[in-house]
Amino acid sequence: MVKVGLVGLGKMGISHFAIINSNPDAKVDVCDASGLVVDTIGRYTSTRTWRNYDEMLKKGGLDAVIIATPSKLHAPMVRTALEHGLHVFCEKPFCLDWRESEELAALANRKGLVNQVGYHYRYVGAFREMKRLVDAQAIGEITHVLAEAYGPVVLKPKGTTWRTDRQAGGGCLYDYAAHPINLINWYFGLPDQVTGTILNSIFSSDTDDEVYSTFAYAGGRSVHLSVNWSDESYRKMSTKITLVGTKGRITADRQELQAYLREPVAALPDYHEGWNVKYTTELTETVRFYLRGEEYSAQLDDFVNLVQGRRTDVINDFWSAAVTDRTIALMIDDAEREKTNAPEIVRQAPARKRWFGLAR
């Protein structure tokens, strides 16, 4: 039995609580600063509750923690948990400073502790299959990639929460764009150059609502990133990756993978020349508890299995998340350069729009 402490009972925290609480190999404590949520869970379930994170770590007798707090709290909470010798699952984005991400990844490795970050798209069947095809060089040399994510999060001006506060780790870049960036890092690693980055507000006063950027890799491969969380033409977040290669094209989203191969590939006997379509339902293993999508349960079940030593391969560890944090940092630096070099008419945008919390 793995004793898990879950801190942060917002949207993702409640989702994680439902999933981990259903795992027969886990016993869960919860912690949150909100008395209402903690008191309600304590009153209607047998779950032990805490209001203080440090107290839970000291007195809870835990093996592991799940951290689902606002992004700016991730780094100090992860460090404290690791120093207590606890295995850690942390929601994404990992840290707001990539150097701190690497420090924590190294610390977890030195202590031999399981470490994961909640980049759940790596558990979506179509994106995992795309990784298999990339590794098998199914479409030859990949020359261009289009990474997209759209959804209806901020559709009008509204009050500030940590999700719409850039300094707290919110905004379209950290909340939405981090997912396709993490997939690109999974397939191709850290880009060698980032250019043309635009972090633009549409309705938010303190952060970005749309993100555009171009990544360049050695050998000439380019990646165009296009993300917008103020797009009401989508009912919920939709992420799609398109790969163009010398021997074909592959497109994947949460529903399916489409692959056009110019010729058969010996390592892929289940694919033929021409168009191939595989649906996520046939690419995804059934999970014991379904909530929002198989990927959410799969990643937490993996975490419990890793802590118990039932498996050793980590799909989304701290080191992989640190690469995404570093890519985001390259984009922020590039956006500042783009802004500095922009024509005067662009620099003098409407006063209500802001750039990283500072009026333009």
Side-chain angles (χ1 to χ4, degrees), residues 43-254:
R43 180 176 302 173
Y44 295 106
T45 75
S46 60
T47 302
R48 190 166 53 165
T49 62
W50 304 82
R51 296 285 297 276
N52 184 288
Y53 178 64
D54 290 332
E55 187 177 9
M56 180 176 75
L57 297 192
K58 291 176 182 175
K59 301 178 180 178
L62 304 175
D63 302 305
V65 293
I66 296 173
I67 297 172
T69 54
S71 307
K72 68 178 182 180
L73 301 177
H74 289 177
M77 285 186 158
V78 168
R79 186 179 297 280
T80 302
L82 293 175
E83 289 172 346
H84 277 79
L86 302 179
H87 307 286
V88 177
F89 179 100
C90 181
E91 251 309 315
K92 69 84 193 169
F94 183 29
C95 300
L96 301 183
D97 184 332
W98 64 270
R99 288 158 292 208
E100 199 157 29
S101 304
E102 292 191 348
E103 287 178 14
L104 294 174
L107 178 60
N109 283 3
R110 284 199 303 273
K111 289 180 169 288
L113 297 168
V114 174
N115 52 95
Q116 266 186 272
V117 176
Y119 281 111
H120 60 266
Y121 275 101
R122 294 192 179 197
Y123 283 86
V124 173
F127 293 122
R128 295 183 70 156
E129 183 70 358
M130 176 173 269
K131 170 67 172 169
R132 187 171 80 96
L133 299 189
V134 169
D135 291 345
Q137 299 182 314
I139 57 171
E141 181 182 349
I142 296 171
T143 59
H144 183 68
V145 179
L146 176 60
E148 302 170 275
Y150 309 107
V153 177
V154 180
L155 299 178
K156 61 182 180 180
K158 59 183 180 181
T160 299
T161 67
W162 77 265
R163 250 177 230 291
T164 56
D165 181 347
R166 173 71 180 81
Q167 303 303 324
C172 183
L173 175 61
Y174 281 112
D175 201 63
Y176 255 46
H179 281 297
I181 293 170
N182 183 259
L183 288 173
I184 295 304
N185 294 147
W186 194 27
Y187 301 149
F188 307 114
L190 182 72
D192 295 297
Q193 186 180 24
V194 173
T195 60
T197 302
I198 296 173
L199 307 178
N200 190 42
S201 65
I202 300 174
F203 299 111
S204 297
S205 60
D206 294 318
T207 190
D208 45 89
D209 296 317
E210 58 182 358
V211 176
Y212 306 103
S213 189
T214 299
F215 304 163
Y217 287 82
R221 178 183 302 136
S222 61
V223 176
H224 181 62
L225 178 74
S226 176
V227 182
N228 184 325
W229 75 355
S230 296
D231 188 342
E232 65 179 321
S233 66
Y234 290 83
R235 187 174 64 85
K236 60 181 182 180
M237 183 179 182
S238 175
T239 300
K240 182 166 77 173
I241 306 292
T242 300
L243 312 179
V244 180
T246 55
K247 296 182 179 180
R249 166 190 288 264
I250 307 171
T251 298
D253 58 22
R254 201 185 175 288

